[in-house]
Amino acid sequence: KLVTFGITPNKAETGYGYIEASNVLDKDKINCERIVRFIEKPNKELAEKLLMDKKYTWNSGMYFFKASDFIKELKKENHEIYDLCKKSLKKEILDLDFQRVEKKYFSICKNISIDNAIMEGTNNGLVIPLDVGWFDIGSWQSMWEVSDKDKNGNVTLGNVFLKDISNSYLRSEERLVVAIGLEEVVIVETLDAILVANKNKTQEVKNIVKDLEKQGRIEAKIHKKIYRPWGNFTSIKDGTNWQVKEITVNAGESLSLQMHKYRAENWIVVSGKALVEINGEEKIIKQNESVFIPPYSKHRLSNPFVDQLNLIEVQCGTYLGEDDIIRFEDKYGRLK
């Protein structure tokens, strides 16, 4: 069987989906019942009716099953997804701890939930009641609900200054956030974007992301901070023909031996030491020292030392995209 855990509801919640069981569920007896249907997030009136009927529980999104049973049901209920996933795994690339599936087949899989793809059609779905003080942290409003608040009902994290604010959630990761004369709002500042929303409308964020994707906004797909097997880099500032990044290389790691056609790079070490290879020649660059890499130069940045390496990279050129990389050697197998 494919078992899902239905949360015993304690209020008429409109932010969760519901599951209808074939019979009344008893949290004390912990009886499993057949799943009749899944209900999308209801309005207040319907939620109040569902709360009074013991056949209904909140959909936790937590499942329990054997992998073999899940695959069997997927083949039966949604064979197209099964077939595409199988093809994408046949051409996988192993990148240290990352298992990168083949993009062509995987990208055309339906964007569909397990509920819609399998559970609504299968005859092997069961629901079991769960009453353990569960809470779905699925929105900024729910973050506000579970967090400690000040005397005005506010939750603040980071560099935040308030005046005449009530029942709000404010979070800063980098810059100072100042809020005056507001109530029931969520303000979240990150390196990527700033969100300002009515606290009761934060479920709409996922729809906003879809709208940004439709408009081709790069912010919907690419973060300022990008992780790689060797460490990470953060985009600080960019212009039409230049870009500044902060690069962190973990101890014992190295980037690929590579070349760029359209850009030159200048590396300035902020902390740690860098082993730099340019056209077959190696040199060690220490803190406050720099090195210049012209276009069409085979180069590699490494950190064979025990301390983390941090440096500033300044790029200049006619094209600065990440696809302007020709790799010759790579310890992570990224030559394909």
Side-chain angles (χ1 to χ4, degrees):
K1 302 297 181 180
L2 308 184
V3 179
T4 185
F5 297 92
I7 306 300
T8 303
N10 54 24
K11 61 179 179 178
E13 176 62 58
T14 60
Y16 305 152
Y18 286 70
I19 301 172
E20 180 184 355
S22 56
N23 293 295
V24 170
L25 292 167
D26 187 339
K27 65 180 182 180
D28 296 319
K29 294 181 180 179
I30 315 183
N31 57 315
C32 285
E33 296 292 345
R34 183 177 59 84
I35 295 173
V36 175
R37 60 171 175 153
F38 291 82
I39 301 174
E40 293 296 325
K41 297 171 183 177
N43 57 33
K44 191 69 174 178
E45 182 181 1
L46 178 57
E48 290 174 348
K49 292 181 180 179
L50 300 180
L51 179 64
M52 303 304 295
D53 191 333
K54 300 304 179 183
K55 290 182 180 180
Y56 295 93
T57 52
W58 291 337
N59 183 2
S60 71
M62 296 186 288
Y63 291 92
F64 183 71
F65 45 68
K66 290 182 179 179
S68 58
D69 292 329
F70 175 81
I71 293 174
K72 180 181 177 181
E73 290 301 310
L74 178 61
K75 289 172 68 176
K76 185 172 66 175
E77 297 296 331
N78 212 307
H79 194 275
E80 181 183 9
I81 290 179
Y82 170 82
D83 186 54
L84 289 170
C85 288
K86 190 172 183 179
K87 288 179 179 179
S88 68
L89 284 170
K90 283 183 177 179
K91 296 185 178 182
E92 67 181 0
I93 297 174
L94 298 180
D95 181 358
L96 287 186
D97 294 334
F98 296 96
Q99 181 186 30
R100 304 189 185 279
V101 297
E102 200 277 331
K103 182 178 181 179
K104 175 184 174 182
Y105 292 113
F106 196 76
S107 63
I108 57 178
C109 283
K110 289 181 181 178
N111 183 7
I112 188 172
S113 68
I114 183 176
D115 299 343
N116 297 137
I118 299 177
M119 298 303 295
E120 290 181 351
T122 181
N123 293 320
N124 290 328
L126 297 178
V127 58
I128 186 171
L130 182 67
D131 187 22
V132 292
W134 177 90
F135 199 94
D136 181 18
I137 311 298
S139 68
W140 291 111
Q141 180 185 16
S142 58
M143 282 293 294
W144 174 81
E145 290 176 359
V146 300
S147 300
D148 294 333
K149 306 170 186 62
D150 63 19
K151 63 180 181 180
N152 295 315
N154 297 314
V155 176
T156 59
L157 295 95
N159 194 8
V160 175
F161 181 84
L162 307 180
K163 187 172 184 180
D164 298 328
I165 304 293
S166 63
N167 300 321
S168 296
Y169 183 95
L170 300 99
R171 180 190 188 103
S172 168
E173 293 187 2
E174 295 284 338
R175 291 159 288 185
L176 170 66
V177 172
V178 178
I180 304 172
L182 299 170
E183 60 182 22
E184 301 286 340
V185 298
V186 167
I187 302 176
V188 179
E189 180 272 341
T190 70
L191 189 62
D192 295 305
I194 299 174
L195 169 69
V196 180
N198 182 289
K199 191 162 90 280
N200 300 313
K201 294 286 186 177
T202 56
Q203 292 281 356
E204 293 294 317
V205 170
K206 60 183 179 182
N207 295 326
I208 295 297
V209 173
K210 292 179 181 178
D211 291 340
L212 292 172
E213 289 175 344
K214 289 179 181 178
Q215 294 178 14
R217 297 290 296 265
I218 193 172
E219 294 91 344
K221 295 183 178 181
I222 300 178
H223 295 281
K224 290 285 187 181
K225 189 170 187 176
I226 304 295
Y227 289 90
R228 291 289 185 259
W230 43 262
N232 63 77
F233 66 85
T234 302
S235 295
I236 299 174
K237 190 73 175 177
D238 61 75
T240 54
N241 65 339
W242 60 273
Q243 184 170 215
V244 180
K245 294 181 178 179
E246 178 187 1
I247 297 178
T248 297
V249 183
N250 297 327
E253 304 297 339
S254 67
L255 284 67
S256 59
L257 179 63
Q258 57 186 252
M259 181 178 73
H260 310 297
K261 293 182 179 180
Y262 304 106
R263 71 173 185 252
E265 297 174 337
N266 196 13
W267 295 336
I268 305 99
V269 174
V270 177
S271 63
K273 291 185 294 184
L275 175 63
V276 178
E277 176 185 344
I278 303 176
N279 293 327
E281 295 186 8
E282 293 184 343
K283 63 175 73 175
I284 295 177
I285 308 299
K286 300 178 182 178
Q287 185 175 356
N288 296 327
E289 295 180 344
S290 64
V291 63
F292 177 71
I293 301 98
Y296 289 97
S297 299
K298 280 188 179 181
H299 62 280
R300 173 161 35 204
L301 174 65
S302 302
N303 179 15
F305 308 104
V306 296
D307 295 324
Q308 181 176 278
L309 167 64
N310 294 283
L311 58 84
I312 300 298
E313 177 183 81
V314 181
Q315 301 177 355
C316 293
T318 57
Y319 179 71
L320 305 174
E322 283 299 305
D323 54 346
D324 179 26
I325 298 178
I326 300 173
R327 290 190 173 95
F328 301 95
E329 295 177 9
D330 185 68
K331 65 184 289 186
Y332 312 109
R334 297 174 297 168
L335 297 179
K336 297 180 180 180

